[in-house]
């Protein structure tokens, strides 16, 4: 079984933002030449995450970010973390820092309306995304 790991930067522009990184993942899958396997997308940050969701209507992304803000407000009296970005840490844990997509016939098996999104919760910053393709 072959294993290929690539890392790329993601530049974010807002405190909270979801950036479609599907094209970068697809290109890592293509370059790996893996025909059947799995790709793992990993974000090595404690205030960012990764998720798979709808790419067609941008209102979906707006609604996800607005909902997260409502569930986890930026300011709360009970937060203890001295850095002042507790909400970003909680959002990161809610969404998680990795996602996996099966690869069949050299392509990710994403649904028609699915994209992979890098999720920034304490931007703007330059972030990293690590993509590992495993398979044959
Ligand atoms: Zn912090």
């Amino acid at each position: 079984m072959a294993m290929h790991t690539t890392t790329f930067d993601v530049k974010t522009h807002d405190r909270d933002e979801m950036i479609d990184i599907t094209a970068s993942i697809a290109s890592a899958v293509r370059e790996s030449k893996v025909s059947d396997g799995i790709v793992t997308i990993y974000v090595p940050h404690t205030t960012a995450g990764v998720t798979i969701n709808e790419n067609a209507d941008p209102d979906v992304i707006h609604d996800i970010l607005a909902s997260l803000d409502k569930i986890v407000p930026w300011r709360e009296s009970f937060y203890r973390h001295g850095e002042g970005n507790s909400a970003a840490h909680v959002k990161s844990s809610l969404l998680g820092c990795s996602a996996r997509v099966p690869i069949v016939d050299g392509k990710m098996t994403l649904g028609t309306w699915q994209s992979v999104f890098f999720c920034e919760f304490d931007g703007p910053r330059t972030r990293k995304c690590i993509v590992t393709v495993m398979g044959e």
Side-chain angles (χ1 to χ4, degrees):
M1 185 181 65
M3 195 157 137
H4 308 264
T5 299
T6 53
T7 301
F8 61 90
D9 288 343
V10 180
K11 195 157 177 41
T12 65
H13 307 91
D14 289 309
R15 191 192 77 194
D16 292 84
E17 187 176 9
M18 288 171 68
I19 297 174
D20 189 338
I21 54 170
T22 310
S24 301
I25 313 301
S27 114
V29 169
R30 252 191 328 273
E31 283 163 22
S32 75
K33 307 230 189 301
V34 164
S35 172
D36 289 285
I38 193 156
V39 58
T40 299
I41 303 103
Y42 176 71
V43 168
H45 302 289
T46 61
T47 55
V50 64
T51 195
I52 296 172
N53 214 301
E54 176 167 331
N55 58 22
D57 179 1
D59 284 346
V60 172
I61 296 313
H62 168 275
D63 293 350
I64 291 171
L65 291 176
S67 299
L68 285 170
D69 248 350
K70 188 157 188 169
I71 298 163
V72 191
W74 188 255
R75 302 218 179 279
E76 270 295 351
S77 55
F78 58 75
Y79 291 155
R80 292 183 181 177
H81 179 49
E83 229 179 6
N85 62 352
S86 288
H89 289 290
V90 174
K91 289 174 184 176
S92 169
S93 274
L94 284 176
L95 266 69
C97 58
S98 70
R100 283 147 306 280
V101 183
I103 299 164
V104 175
D105 294 332
K107 292 202 168 120
M108 285 192 285
T109 54
L110 288 170
T112 307
W113 310 114
Q114 285 185 313
S115 276
V116 182
F117 290 91
F118 180 95
C119 306
E120 174 64 84
F121 299 121
D122 193 15
R125 302 187 193 205
T126 300
R127 302 290 205 165
K128 292 232 174 291
C129 185
I130 301 166
V131 181
T132 300
V133 185
M134 288 188 299
E136 303 174 321

